[in-house]
């Protein structure tokens, strides 16, 4: 098994550099304060593209956006794609392991993922990054396709007292030979839609939080964390090659009863 390492300061610097870089990224969408870029797979690296989305937020402070990205109870309320999401165990004061299952666009199979998540708060930004791990008590399920997060995360940068930019970067292998329409939707439709939903959730968060454990923010106050602890050595890095590949390449796009589509990237 490939051992797991909790991201260090260098890993966060590298993630931030990718979020802020312009060279090597191809523009796919730019409208209404939302921009999307893609980066083709690099030779010798994972055979999946990398997607980067940036949202200009004019009416929400950076710290509120950061809270929303962490608050799992609130996510169950605003993220309609969630099938199940919960934290599993604490690894360090700024790292944990968690589970997330989500709905995919019909008629694709739904996905799930087990990830190590780590976060860092600096004077001028907030960062959250994650990657897939193997957990002994969370093997792949028969009713879901186990996806693989090579690297995914968020960079929140304040631009004023009540404004910020939110960058989402993800290199995720959803497994399966996905149809081209899914790949196109992810960058041109699903990713911008996800960010816009997240923005609406951020606007409503302060009033919601006032009614739901207003002072409980273990991502800021580690002493509040009640998760069981787990040794990093009990985890292993999850690689896509070790998982079953599901062929969905021939599936045609189907709208659900509401005409909506669900994102396949976490």
């Amino acid at each position: 098994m490939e051992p797991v390492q909790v991201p260090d300061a260098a890993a966060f610097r590298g993630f931030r550099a990718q979020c802020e870089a312009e060279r090597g990224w191809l523009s796919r969408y730019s409208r209404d304060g939302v921009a999307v870029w893609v980066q083709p797979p690099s030779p010798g690296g994972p055979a999946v593209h990398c997607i980067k989305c940036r949202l200009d937020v004019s009416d929400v402070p950076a710290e509120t956006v950061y809270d929303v990205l962490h608050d799992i109870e609130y996510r169950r309320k605003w993220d309609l794609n969630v099938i199940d999401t919960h934290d599993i165990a604490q690894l360090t004061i700024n790292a944990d392991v968690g589970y997330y299952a989500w709905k995919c666009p019909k008629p694709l199979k739904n996905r799930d993922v087990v990830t190590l998540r780590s976060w860092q708060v600096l004077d001028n930004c907030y960062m959250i990054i994650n990657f897939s791990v193997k957990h002994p008590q969370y093997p792949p399920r028969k009713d879901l396709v186990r996806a693989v997060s090579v690297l995914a995360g968020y960079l929140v940068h304040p631009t004023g007292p009540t404004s910020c930019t939110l960058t989402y970067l993800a290199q995720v292998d959803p497994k399966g030979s996905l149809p081209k329409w899914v790949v196109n939707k992810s960058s041109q439709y699903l990713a911008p839609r996800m960010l816009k939903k997240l923005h609406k959730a951020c606007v409503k968060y302060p009033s919601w939080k006032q009614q739901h454990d207003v002072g409980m923010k273990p991502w800021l106050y580690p002493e509040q964390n009640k998760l069981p602890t787990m040794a990093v050595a009990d985890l292993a890095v999850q690689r896509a090659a070790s998982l079953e590949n599901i062929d969905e390449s021939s599936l045609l796009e189907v709208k659900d009863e509401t005409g909506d589509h669900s994102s396949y990237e976490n």
Side-chain angles (χ1 to χ4, degrees):
M1 295 196 307
E2 186 176 349
V4 169
Q5 291 185 332
V6 174
D8 57 12
F12 280 101
R13 285 195 299 270
F15 175 77
R16 183 175 182 178
Q18 288 187 67
C19 288
E20 296 176 343
E22 297 181 2
R23 186 175 179 179
W25 291 92
L26 306 175
S27 177
R28 285 290 180 265
Y29 180 100
S30 182
R31 190 169 62 203
D32 300 328
V34 180
V36 179
W37 301 265
V38 296
Q39 188 178 67
S42 58
V48 288
H49 73 285
C50 195
I51 185 170
K52 179 165 63 175
C53 314
R54 184 167 297 144
L55 174 67
D56 293 324
V57 181
S58 63
D59 53 354
V60 181
E63 56 267 27
T64 300
V65 175
Y66 181 67
D67 287 346
V68 170
L69 292 172
H70 269 289
D71 198 322
I72 199 167
E73 296 299 327
Y74 187 56
R75 182 159 193 172
R76 294 191 186 103
K77 175 179 173 60
W78 70 265
D79 186 355
L80 300 182
N81 295 327
V82 169
I83 298 173
D84 180 23
T85 182
H86 57 272
D87 299 328
I88 300 170
Q90 181 181 12
L91 301 172
T92 69
I93 62 169
N94 70 322
D96 59 20
V97 58
Y99 177 82
Y100 179 76
W102 70 100
K103 301 172 187 175
C104 287
K106 292 183 178 181
L108 301 179
K109 292 179 180 294
N110 295 329
R111 260 68 177 173
D112 72 350
V113 68
V114 177
T115 59
L116 186 156
R117 178 182 61 169
S118 186
W119 53 93
Q120 185 180 67
V121 177
L122 301 176
D123 290 340
N124 60 351
C125 72
Y126 302 82
M127 285 179 281
I128 304 172
I129 58 179
N130 75 65
F131 59 89
S132 281
V133 293
K134 295 179 182 179
H135 188 291
Q137 297 178 10
Y138 286 81
R141 290 166 45 173
K142 292 183 178 180
D143 59 327
L144 297 168
V145 176
R146 177 62 51 89
V148 175
S149 172
V150 180
L151 176 67
Y154 298 91
L155 169 67
V156 187
H157 186 273
T159 56
T162 59
S163 62
C164 63
T165 59
L166 169 64
T167 303
Y168 167 66
L169 184 144
Q171 188 173 23
V172 176
D173 188 342
K175 295 300 294 180
S177 302
L178 290 172
K180 185 171 176 137
W181 64 264
V182 174
V183 178
N184 288 340
K185 286 284 186 185
S186 71
S187 59
Q188 299 174 17
Y189 178 83
L190 297 176
R193 186 173 186 134
M194 180 273 288
L195 287 182
K196 290 175 181 177
K197 285 184 177 180
L198 176 60
H199 177 210
K200 290 181 180 179
C202 290
V203 171
K204 297 177 181 179
Y205 182 69
S207 59
W208 179 90
K209 188 62 174 172
Q210 284 292 328
Q211 306 300 320
H212 299 81
D213 292 326
V214 62
M216 181 62 68
K217 297 182 180 182
W219 51 91
L220 294 178
Y221 312 112
E223 66 277 6
Q224 295 179 345
N225 199 320
K226 305 303 181 185
L227 288 173
T229 58
M230 180 178 186
V232 178
D234 292 334
L235 299 171
V237 175
Q238 176 70 74
R239 298 299 184 189
S242 67
L243 293 169
E244 180 183 3
N245 208 50
I246 308 297
D247 187 0
E248 299 169 286
S249 57
S250 62
L251 295 177
L252 299 177
E253 182 177 6
V254 175
K255 286 190 176 183
D256 64 18
E257 292 79 4
T258 62
D260 198 5
H261 298 271
S262 299
S263 173
Y264 75 89
E265 291 187 287
N266 178 20

